[in-house]
Amino acid sequence: MDVDVMTGFGGKQAWLAVAGGEPDAVLAALELRDLGTVSWRDGLDLAHLTDDRIAITPPLPGARGISWVLAVGRGLLKPTLDLPGISAALGTEVQLFATHRVTELHRWQRAADGDLVRSFGYVGQTGEVTSWFGDPDPAERDAGLPGELDEETTVLVAERDVFTVAAAWSIDPTTLTGVAPGPLRLGALDA
């Protein structure tokens, strides 16, 4: 019997967490061409190594007793992704996380009911905070963010901080292990 196992991911990657989502709805909201199902390892490899493939998990248990669908792929790294629009289309909370070790890019956003609730972006290579909207919650402060940002404030964020916030808000994808609750769905971004 061939059993698929979940595989953690995170570094040099971007992903969405969709509260109470269903893979088909996420595929449609992201306007992806459905490429069918794929094993976890193959799907995550394609999402990591290409710019146009997005792997979507089945619902997974996560923070706040909510099931979450994760959509992962380098194609989600683009800054033009309309998170509030995706949240509105799905009628639920949607979160974006991104991290890239080379430039020390670290970003997270949270939208609910079509409204941007929180946004934070940081490039460690330059020490620049690239986005700051809303107030940091306790998970973000535990990750080292100040309560507010001003010209005097120095912010230092590491990749592990992205996973700390992801764990508190939805799911830390680096911890995914064990028997997979189902295959991944694979979608393609159309150019």
Side-chain angles (χ1 to χ4, degrees), residues 151-175:
E151 294 161 13
E152 310 282 319
T153 305
T154 300
V155 176
L156 296 173
V157 175
E159 184 177 69
R160 72 180 178 285
D161 299 323
V162 176
F163 303 125
T164 297
V165 173
W169 286 4
S170 53
I171 296 176
D172 174 351
T174 65
T175 65

Side-chain angles (χ1 to χ4, degrees), residues 32-179:
L32 300 174
R33 188 166 30 94
D34 188 357
L35 300 177
T37 61
V38 64
S39 72
W40 278 66
R41 170 56 46 213
D42 290 345
L44 292 174
D45 283 350
L46 283 166
H48 182 74
L49 297 172
T50 66
D51 290 329
D52 67 339
R53 299 294 189 257
I54 306 294
I56 302 172
T57 71
L60 303 169
R64 300 178 277 151
I66 299 172
S67 68
W68 297 86
V69 169
L70 305 180
V72 58
R74 284 188 356 198
L76 299 172
L77 279 168
K78 58 186 171 186
T80 58
L81 189 69
D82 178 15
L83 197 68
I86 295 167
S87 171
L90 292 169
T92 192
E93 181 176 334
V94 178
Q95 304 162 2
L96 168 71
F97 300 93
T99 182
H100 197 284
R101 290 182 205 125
V102 176
T103 60
E104 288 297 314
L105 164 88
H106 308 301
R107 183 171 63 208
W108 54 78
Q109 295 179 325
R110 191 178 205 173
D113 301 320
D115 293 321
L116 185 63
V117 175
R118 177 73 177 123
S119 178
F120 171 77
Y122 174 76
V123 178
Q125 193 174 50
T126 62
E128 177 186 7
V129 174
T130 58
S131 67
W132 184 286
F133 176 83
D135 296 323
D137 69 5
E140 293 174 281
R141 288 193 298 279
D142 287 347
L145 287 188
E148 59 185 55
L149 185 66
D150 59 38
E151 294 161 13
E152 310 282 319
T153 305
T154 300
V155 176
L156 296 173
V157 175
E159 184 177 69
R160 72 180 178 285
D161 299 323
V162 176
F163 303 125
T164 297
V165 173
W169 286 4
S170 53
I171 296 176
D172 174 351
T174 65
T175 65
L176 297 175
T177 61
V179 175

